[in-house]
């Protein structure tokens, strides 16, 4: 018993429960029953999952034994007849009770016609004419080259593909008169409803009479009935289909367009010898201004079929016409008929690729997301390897339409290696388009490409000869900034934008400033203060106002960011000690150079005075050698008086305490006068260096007696001191009650109050006044009188001093402060011993 006989290239894979067969497809839902002979199912091909249609001929029932003959003929003829307008055969399986025929996915014409009833009348008419054209072409092929008769041309033998194309099927009665036993002539009468499409001569003499006529005679009459049925789906057969078969009239034509009515009459001619053949019907329709020739769908299909054979001029004209009329095409026609043909033509590249690509993307909108990568993206990706500049420009111009659908791996491995060649192209338009396209592809590039390879290309683009390319490159780097790696940001952004700021093209400089502003979040505060603002500053005096205005906006943006950060910072980073209080004294901002100089000098003197007042509260001033360590100080602070040969006891005791054994001579008295003790700076530096190590033996708790505030660097001979010499008078600190502290500061004067049991602190006068008084108070041996009064004189003014005098005055003041601290320590030690 023959349980299974496979025809064609059928592949057996899985078990189908219904028939018990291993079939190369899986059955889906049933679509319709055709003439009671076969059933149409949707199906899926097992090897690749593609959609197919399954025609099932089940003749297991005794009442359907005759169907086996029709099924066998349909399978044999469909398998051997190959034509674009004939239903495409894929595979088949036959047993002793059933035959399965697998074809391309289709729908019956009758069901599709109903869905077209609601569409625009003109669009529906164009679609029907296009379908009749395809069926006429198929019948011409069957009748002439194949020398056969279809024998069953009706609505149930025509199927619609997903693209909307009409396909000729229903080959159950397909016969060639030269065959041994043509089924049409022997069994045509027993096929269900065969009399509906039978020609008058067949109804009169039977199907065997067709042997006397051309193979096209019966099919021509059936074509006329089909024409009437598709234009009048709600009406029955025309009157001419019944005896005595009168000639059709205009009133009985229904909705048949007048342009085709004459051919309709000739197709239904009762006389078979005067009947118009399908071939003649096709030729008339394809004549100039014929009903087929002027149909836009027919013209598109013909243009696509012969596209590769046309000249470049004809191709361009066809593509322009296609683009202009594309909006009026049925969606299924553009997606499944036009689009595949355009993609095939696109793979060949050439000059027309630039015109084909926009149409491919336009028609690809209706493609499902599942099919889009394979149907649309795959051919586009291949085109990036094409060296044709027109193709590359078309790909880049339309990149926004498909960039989001590209896969990250495909972009990095298949697109970027070819795209990067555009950076070095000799045509500037290609270089610029390549640069602009990167912003769309950047999110899909790997980190290695983004932070390494790409930046190397962009560095070259910043030196391009075209100003627009340099400008766009700067803009691109600014937009890529937030996506770069942390180290890449710190190394690349500032140099790249700074390079743009020095560009000769105005808009490139503006782009550099805007790029700095756009990437402000990519810089930390240290980079803003040390790199960004210094690199932007010079553009505030750019020759172009456009650049200057943008520069001030950029500076303002970064300064505000720094201000916000500074507001959150602590007031000082120094440890919590008494010296930190000095730093809070200067709280008033100045706005002029002279005011800054005055404020700086006043700050130094005022903070010194307050330090002394705070430290000497309720203490006794004593005489002794200071053992306090020398606090850490700025290199601009002058060395102590002791280091330059001045005895510190002279400055802190009254004239009565000076004995004959003192080493201070009259020349030393003069040494107290600023400017009289000229010591070389090299010697001073050497003595100062030794002082750093000698005075670090003891400290007073955690206080820094000298403080950390830097005074004026009097040794900086090259500095400009004019601001200090012309500065306004320094405001004196608030006076302190003498009874509390034992001394007070008033203006620039330093005075002492005679406390009980305390020695007074001799005041130091200015150089101008001391010269006169000292000369009068000295004896002939240049000795200092023992009972010389200690007049309180105003402190010397820096504006009247030379640089050497300023240095000496600063040293003297420091020594006074050091001696006071020494006395304070002695008092504390005495209190502990007591």
């Amino acid at each position: 018993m023959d349980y299974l006989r496979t025809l064609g290239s059928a592949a057996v894979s899985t078990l189908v429960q219904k028939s018990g067969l291993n079939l190369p497809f899986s059955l889906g839902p049933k679509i319709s029953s055709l003439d009671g002979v076969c059933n149409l199912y949707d199906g899926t091909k097992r090897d690749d999952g593609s959609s197919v249609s399954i025609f099932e001929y089940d003749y297991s029932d005794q009442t359907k034994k005759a169907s086996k003959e029709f099924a066998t003929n349909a399978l044999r003829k469909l398998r051997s007849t190959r034509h674009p307008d004939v239903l495409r055969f894929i595979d088949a399986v036959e047993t002793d009770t059933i035959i399965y025929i697998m074809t391309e996915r289709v729908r019956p014409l009758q069901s599709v016609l109903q869905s077209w009833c609601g569409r625009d009348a003109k669009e529906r008419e164009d679609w029907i004419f296009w379908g009749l054209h395809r069926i006429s072409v198929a019948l011409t092929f069957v009748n002439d080259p194949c020398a056969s008769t279809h024998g069953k041309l009706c609505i149930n033998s025509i199927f619609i593909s997903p693209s909307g194309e009409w396909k000729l099927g229903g080959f159950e009665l397909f016969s060639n008169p030269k065959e041994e036993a043509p089924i049409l002539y022997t069994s045509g009468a027993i096929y269900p409803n065969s009399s509906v499409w039978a020609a008058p001569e067949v109804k009169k003499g039977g199907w065997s009479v067709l042997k006397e006529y051309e193979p096209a005679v019966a099919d021509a009459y059936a074509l006329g009935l089909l024409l009437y049925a598709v234009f009048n789906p709600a009406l029955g057969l025309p009157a001419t289909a019944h005896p005595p078969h009168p000639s059709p009239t205009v009133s009985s034509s229904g909705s048949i367009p007048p342009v085709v009515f004459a051919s309709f009459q000739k197709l239904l001619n009762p006389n078979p010898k005067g009947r118009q053949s399908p071939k003649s019907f096709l030729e008339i329709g394809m004549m100039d201004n014929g009903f087929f020739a002027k149909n836009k769908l027919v013209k598109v299909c013909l243009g696509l079929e012969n596209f590769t054979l046309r000249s470049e001029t004809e191709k361009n004209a066809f593509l322009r016409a296609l683009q202009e009329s594309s909006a009026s095409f049925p969606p299924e026609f553009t997606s499944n008929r036009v689009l595949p043909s355009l993609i095939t033509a696109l793979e060949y590249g050439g000059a027309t690729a630039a015109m084909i690509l926009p149409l491919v993307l336009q028609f690809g909108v209706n493609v499902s997301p599942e099919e889009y990568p394979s149907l649309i993206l795959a051919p586009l990706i291949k085109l990036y390897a094409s060296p044709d500049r027109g193709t590359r420009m078309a790909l880049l111009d339309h990149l926004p339409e498909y960039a989001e659908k590209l896969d990250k791996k495909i972009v990095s491995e298949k697109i970027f290696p070819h795209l990067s060649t555009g950076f070095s192209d000799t045509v500037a338009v290609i270089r610029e388009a390549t640069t602009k396209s990167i912003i769309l592809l950047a999110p899909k590039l790997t980190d290695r490409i983004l932070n390494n390879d790409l930046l190397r290309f962009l560095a070259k683009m910043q030196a391009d000869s075209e100003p627009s390319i340099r400008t766009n490159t700067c803009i691109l780097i600014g937009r890529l900034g937030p996506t770069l790696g942390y180290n890449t940001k710190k190394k690349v952004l500032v140099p790249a934008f700074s390079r743009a700021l020095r560009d000769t093209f105005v808009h490139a400089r503006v782009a550099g400033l805007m790029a700095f502003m756009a990437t402000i979040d990519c810089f930390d505060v240290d980079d803003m203060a040390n790199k960004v603002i210094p690199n932007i500053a010079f553009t505030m005096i750019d020759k172009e106002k456009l650049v200057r205005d943008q520069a001030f906006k950029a500076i303002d943006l970064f300064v505000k960011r720094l201000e916000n950060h500074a507001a959150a910072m602590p007031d000082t980073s120094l440890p919590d000690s008494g010296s930190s209080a000095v730093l809070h004294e200067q709280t008033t901002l100045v706005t002029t150079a002279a005011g800054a100089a005055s404020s700086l000098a006043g700050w130094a003197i005022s903070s010194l005075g307050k330090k002394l007042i705070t430290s000497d509260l309720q203490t006794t001033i004593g005489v002794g050698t200071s053992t306090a360590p020398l606090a850490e100080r700025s290199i601009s602070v002058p060395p102590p008086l002791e280091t330059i040969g001045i005895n510190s006891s002279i400055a802190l005791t009254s004239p009565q305490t000076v004995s004959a054994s003192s080493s201070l001579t009259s020349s030393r008295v003069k040494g107290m006068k600023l400017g009289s003790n000229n010591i070389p700076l090299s010697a001073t530096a050497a003595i100062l260096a030794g002082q750093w190590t000698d005075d670090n033996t003891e400290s007073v708790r955690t206080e820094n007696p000298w403080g950390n505030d830097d005074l004026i660097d009097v040794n900086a001979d090259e500095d400009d001191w004019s601001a200090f010499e012309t500065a306004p008078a320094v405001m004196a600190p608030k006076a302190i009650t003498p009874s509390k502290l034992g001394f007070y500061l008033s203006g620039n004067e330093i005075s002492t109050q005679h406390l009980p049991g305390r020695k007074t602190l001799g005041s130091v006068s200015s150089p101008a006044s001391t010269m006169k008084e000292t000369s009068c108070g000295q004896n002939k041996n240049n000795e200092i009188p023992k009972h010389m009064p200690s007049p309180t004189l105003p402190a010397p003014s820096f504006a009247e001093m030379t640089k050497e005098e300023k240095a000496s005055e600063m040293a003297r003041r420091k020594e006074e402060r050091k001696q006071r601290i020494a006395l304070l320590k002695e008092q504390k030690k005495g209190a502990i011993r007591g």
Side-chain angles (χ1 to χ4, degrees), residues 240-306:
T240 188
H242 304 284
H245 306 289
S247 177
T249 61
V250 176
S251 60
S252 63
S253 63
S255 299
I256 295 177
V259 68
V260 75
F261 181 75
S263 294
F264 169 66
Q265 284 182 318
K266 293 178 182 179
L267 289 172
L268 294 181
N269 191 337
N271 183 5
K273 294 184 178 180
R275 191 176 300 158
Q276 188 179 68
S277 66
K279 182 179 180 180
S280 299
F281 177 74
L282 178 63
E283 292 174 348
I284 293 173
M286 291 304 297
M287 294 175 61
D288 293 340
N289 295 323
F291 45 83
F292 288 151
K294 65 182 181 181
N295 183 274
K296 58 184 180 182
L297 299 180
V298 173
K299 290 191 292 185
V300 169
C301 290
L302 293 176
L304 292 174
E305 291 172 358
N306 303 320

Side-chain angles (χ1 to χ4, degrees), residues 7 46 52 61 96 105 127 138 144 150 176 212 224 242 244 246 256 413 428 452 545 576 643 680 693 819:
L7 302 178
R46 291 189 181 277
V52 295
D61 190 353
D96 56 352
R105 174 64 64 87
W127 178 71
D144 287 352
H150 183 274
N176 188 325
E212 303 175 3
H242 304 284
I256 295 177
E413 297 180 0
N452 189 354
K545 184 177 184 300
D576 188 12
T643 64
T693 57
Q819 293 299 329

